[in-house]
Amino acid sequence: MKGKGFSGFAEGKQTMVSLPEAVFTELVPQIDDLRELQVTLLILCRLAQRQARVAPWVTRDELLNDPVVRQVAAAGSADLDGLLAQAVARGTLLTVSWKRGDDVVEQRYLANSPKGRMAVAALQRGIDPAQTEAPQRPNIYALYEQNIGPLTALLSEDLQEAEQTYAQEWIEEAFREAVRMNKRNWKYIQAILENRRTKGKDEIHRGDREEDGRKYVEGDYADFIKH
């Protein structure tokens, strides 16, 4: 299936999807069927955009109504079912039937992860964990480029480590604080994050008074301001 060429990523803010590294280092090299790979990546993307008490899922009907999935499974539902069966047989996806309150039985697909296996076990016991669409949040790279400036390779490693260490809410608040104080550099932001981790949030946010500003200039973060 040959389509038109890719015109490149659009300028401006892009929605980011997070997938495990093993998808690219272990799974992708195993899949020699292009359309199975396409459907697999599309489903993993859809799952990454959702939240659930245990693990998110996507239904067969949702996939059939997804225009991008339909484009891959050009022959229709039987074609999609075959591709889904391949992904399940490979061990990429899990599948379970669920009877809804209106007596309609739907087929659900989940990632074959520890949480996915827990969710399947819960569904098989008759427990239906709720799920919602995950709110779209900028990742740490986008926050840096939007508020500080261009990234370097070395700094990217520091940002990745910080994203794995601190909660997303903390990171966003630290960037906001740096912008508010007009101290737009990574070491200052990093110091805010570490200070919150060791001393708690109240040590950082004490209002908008001038004394609060002097605390950052003369106190814990003074060594980082001129970086």
Side-chain angles (χ1 to χ4, degrees), residues 1-220:
M1 181 174 61
K2 185 176 180 181
K4 62 181 181 179
F6 179 54
S7 58
F9 297 102
E11 185 177 356
K13 183 178 178 180
Q14 297 290 310
T15 300
M16 307 299 292
V17 176
S18 176
L19 294 177
E21 184 180 10
V23 169
F24 306 100
T25 59
E26 299 179 30
L27 181 60
V28 169
Q30 290 184 24
I31 302 177
D32 53 9
D33 184 318
L34 173 60
R35 293 197 304 150
E36 179 192 344
L37 175 61
Q38 291 173 319
V39 166
T40 296
L41 292 176
L42 287 170
I43 292 174
L44 293 177
C45 175
R46 301 301 183 264
L47 294 175
Q49 294 172 326
R50 298 186 175 187
Q51 292 178 324
R53 291 177 184 172
V54 182
W57 64 83
V58 63
T59 69
R60 176 181 179 273
D61 288 345
E62 287 175 323
L63 294 172
L64 283 172
N65 291 322
D66 186 315
V68 183
V69 174
R70 285 206 311 268
Q71 185 177 353
V72 173
S77 60
D79 194 17
L80 176 61
D81 288 339
L83 296 172
L84 290 170
Q86 287 177 229
V88 171
R90 188 177 301 281
T92 310
L93 300 177
L94 303 171
T95 185
V96 63
S97 298
W98 177 259
K99 188 175 183 179
R100 300 185 328 212
D102 57 3
D103 290 333
V104 173
V105 177
E106 62 183 20
Q107 200 67 23
R108 296 180 175 182
Y109 292 88
L110 305 89
N112 185 9
S113 65
K115 289 185 177 181
R117 294 188 287 273
M118 289 174 60
V120 167
L123 289 162
Q124 290 172 337
R125 294 197 306 270
I127 302 170
D128 188 14
Q131 69 173 357
T132 59
E133 292 295 324
Q136 297 297 329
R137 309 181 73 101
N139 69 4
I140 195 168
Y141 303 104
L143 284 169
Y144 187 92
E145 291 179 328
Q146 291 166 6
N147 295 286
I148 310 301
L151 283 171
T152 65
L154 184 60
L155 186 56
S156 294
E157 295 179 4
D158 291 342
L159 295 178
Q160 182 180 25
E161 182 179 353
E163 193 166 44
Q164 295 170 351
T165 302
Y166 306 107
Q168 178 71 19
E169 292 80 3
W170 292 17
I171 293 171
E172 292 174 6
E173 288 178 5
F175 273 93
R176 282 196 295 268
E177 186 65 26
V179 170
R180 186 177 74 85
M181 297 299 298
N182 198 27
K183 310 300 179 187
R184 297 171 183 254
N185 66 78
W186 171 241
K187 283 191 176 294
Y188 184 81
I189 294 167
Q190 195 173 35
I192 294 176
L193 290 167
E194 182 60 19
N195 199 57
R196 175 166 182 176
R197 186 179 69 84
T198 56
K199 299 181 181 180
K201 182 176 180 179
D202 290 341
E203 190 67 20
I204 297 175
H205 298 289
R206 296 185 183 277
D208 295 325
R209 297 168 298 156
E210 182 65 27
E211 290 81 4
D212 195 37
R214 288 201 300 271
K215 180 189 68 158
Y216 289 96
V217 174
E218 302 169 358
D220 293 328

